[in-house]
Amino acid sequence: RALLRASALGLLVAAAAACGAGGGGGDGADAATPTLVLGTGLDSFVELRDGDPAELVAGPQGGYHVWVGVHFSGVPFRDVLYVNYASVDAGGAPFGIEIEQPTRRDSTTVLTGGVFERLGDVAVMAAFPPPPAPGTVVTIRAAIKDAAQQVLISTSRQVVLRDDVVDPPGPGAR
């Protein structure tokens, strides 16, 4: 009987694991550590690394921005999350305008491994002309917040602003 009970218990544990018990319940969270990757992207995601150039874009309302996006996983995503973007200059002073995007599951793409992708957001560098000078070093910060506005995870990348109209990219530029 002890062997039968041990076998039955083993089957129950295996079945629970196969069904995802103890995981995120299908909400994008699992036992893994939460991850957040900041990138650029209007139509496709390109991960940003410190020191990368970031294209300065003139927006339709007269301001200037950088297209940004995120890949994130391991955070509970049942209803809505908020993706927050803020920038600071080399001295740590706020730069541009902080933007917060309410994000529903249907406004993201689910990639393999339970990674969510959000593209086409903006990190506003200037609300009005003149634009920041090409070569300006800026740190773009991204944070994922829950419905109660608690930060779940954040990251940042230091980028160099460029204007491809004024300063075309050279060979091998990303």
Side-chain angles (χ1 to χ4, degrees):
R1 287 188 168 194
L3 181 58
L4 184 59
R5 271 188 245 143
S7 295
L9 180 59
L11 285 173
L12 284 173
V13 169
C19 292
D27 63 3
D30 57 23
T33 302
T35 64
L36 175 60
V37 179
L38 177 61
T40 63
L42 177 58
D43 299 316
S44 64
F45 184 85
V46 177
E47 181 177 351
L48 278 172
R49 293 182 290 265
D50 285 335
D52 277 353
E55 171 71 19
L56 189 60
V57 178
Q61 297 174 333
Y64 298 87
H65 64 270
V66 170
W67 290 115
V68 290
V70 291
H71 281 179
F72 61 94
S73 66
V75 296
F77 193 3
R78 291 174 186 86
D79 182 31
V80 66
L81 291 173
Y82 295 89
V83 182
N84 177 276
Y85 301 100
S87 302
V88 296
D89 66 16
F95 191 90
I97 299 172
E98 185 172 341
I99 299 289
E100 188 161 277
Q101 298 291 337
T103 302
R104 298 198 176 278
R105 289 178 75 98
D106 62 0
S107 68
T108 63
T109 301
V110 181
L111 306 174
T112 57
V115 174
F116 292 93
E117 177 179 76
R118 182 173 169 94
L119 297 174
D121 289 335
V122 295
V124 177
M125 298 294 126
F128 306 102
T136 300
V137 176
V138 176
T139 299
I140 300 175
R141 297 179 178 160
I144 303 290
K145 296 180 179 182
D146 63 16
Q149 295 290 307
Q150 298 298 311
V151 174
L152 301 174
I153 188 168
S154 63
T155 191
S156 64
R157 290 292 175 263
Q158 188 177 67
V159 299
V160 180
L161 298 180
R162 66 176 299 117
D163 183 341
D164 284 353
V165 173
V166 175
D167 183 23
R174 317 187 311 134

